[in-house]
Structures are given as structure tokens and as C-alpha cells.
Amino acid sequence: MKLVIAATPKVAIPTISELKKLHQVTIVTQPDRPAGRGKQLRQSEIADAFEGVLKPESEAELTEILQGANLLVTIGYGKILKSETLSLPKFGGINLHFSLLPKWRGAAPVQRAIEAGDKVSGVTVFQMDSGMDTGPIWVQREFPIPYGFSSPELFEELANLGVSAILDALSAIESGGKPHDQTGAATIAKKISKDECVINWNLDTQSILRKVKAFAFNPGVTTSIRGQQMKIADAREGVSKLQPGELSKTGEVGTADGSVQLLRVIPAGKRAMSASDWLNGFKPEAGERFE
């Protein structure tokens, strides 16, 4: 088939790599955007990974690219497309979504699954319509989430699982199959705000750990001590019983029902380091607390 693949994040790389072996593929990604402290233009991870990637500035430009295509495949493209655009390819458009729809429709399904403590995640390939992740389903694949999994780890597993799901969906489409409607209660994976990434040490240990595992990679989980903000890059359950926010000399921090053991931190203005290295320089005093 003649495919147009619209994708932005690196999680699309395994699927694109496989489809390029089997089909005639045109790759589309978002235009270069300002990024980093210097706000210099930076291209997407997909543009970094493949040659000849197109970067339409508007949906009108995308419609030109779609002329004569059999199918549009989107993977984290970052735009909700108009029905008129989706109708241009012979078989319309399908999306690879990293949840078991209708659960976790929206911008951050992987992070919300980790935050919620879900036991199972997966991928869904669905026929795109004018709604947000509301179209009928071609294929779903489940993935049991191991305890303590982080968002980057789950993204990697689902990215690989998505390859076979897309291939099976293409086979069903080519053979004249029909997708089935989504069933069950829908939940929304809303965009992550920086405010919700500030740790409240009055929460229970597992709630705090899930927040770290879900959000530490992006946008980052923050707390403050001695008037300075710092990020927590990784942590595990502690063994001590401390007051909420209290920092021990071994790097445990009190919660509502126990403690969290810091593993990696990012102090203000510095790079990520082990918690032990940070403690050696910080030298916590007795009873010192995170704010």
C-alpha cells in the first residue's frame, strides 16, 4: 500500500522502520520548533531518525501530501485532523494509540496509566474520526505493567508491541474487514501540568512513587529544600517511618504512611546525580524537611 505516516515522537520509530520494508511510505512530522533553554529550532525525533521526512506547516499542506495515498497512519502526530483530511486516502486514517481504548483517551495515556497504578496497559489501532481517540477499533494488544515501571519503560514496550498491531490492522483493512465500536467507560488522559508535578509529601508512599515514575522523565517531578527547587529523577519505597517531608541522612523522605528512598536527583542548576552524591555535598541536618 501507499502509506503516509504522520508521527513526531521516537516511539513511532519501530513501526515506521517495519512499514518501510513492506510498503511505499511517505513520512510526515511536525515542523521544527524552538526547544531547550536557548529556544533554538529543533527538529522532531522522527526527522532525526529518517531521511526525507516532510514537515508540512499546515493541514492544507498535509492534504497535498495525502493525494493518491491508500492510508494515513498517525502515531503521536500531535494534531486532531479534519474529517475532510481523513477522507482523502482510500482507506482513511488509522492511529496507533498507547492505551486500551476507551480508557485513557487523550494526550498522556502512558503517564496517566502509571500515575493511576494500572495493572494492564496496551495499544489500540483505531479508525480515525473527528473526535479525540473515539473511532472504531481494528486491533488491541494488552501488556501487563510490572510493578515499579516508569513511563519511559512502558513507552518502549508499547512502541514495540505496536508494530504487530499495526501490521495486523493493515491486513484486516486490505482484506475488507470492519473495525468494531469502542465499548466500556471512557477516561481522559489530560495533558500534564507542572503544578501537579510538585510533590505533596502528605500523600501516601505509593501515590508519590507513582507520580515520580509517571512524570520524572517529562516534565519532571519537583520539590524544594532550603529554598531551592530540585527534581527527583528516581525513587523507591523506603523502610523508615518519618514525618511528611522529613529528610533522613540516608536519603529517605517521610510520607503520610512511611517514606520514599531517593535514588537520583537533579539539584537546581546541576545535572542528574545519585542521591548519595547529592547527600555528600548537601549534608542534611537533623529534622530537615522538604517543603
Side-chain angles (χ1 to χ4, degrees), residues 49-72:
F50 300 98
E51 295 181 355
V53 175
L54 304 180
K55 305 173 183 178
E57 294 282 350
S58 66
E59 191 163 340
E61 289 186 29
L62 177 60
T63 62
E64 292 298 319
I65 298 169
L66 289 171
Q67 299 297 325
N70 296 120
L71 182 69
L72 169 66

Side-chain angles (χ1 to χ4, degrees), residues 225-247:
I225 193 166
R226 294 182 187 172
Q228 293 288 317
Q229 188 181 84
M230 66 180 290
K231 293 182 178 180
I232 297 177
D234 198 10
R236 65 175 179 232
E237 187 171 359
V239 297
S240 301
K241 176 63 176 177
L242 302 167
Q243 291 299 309
E246 181 182 356
L247 173 64

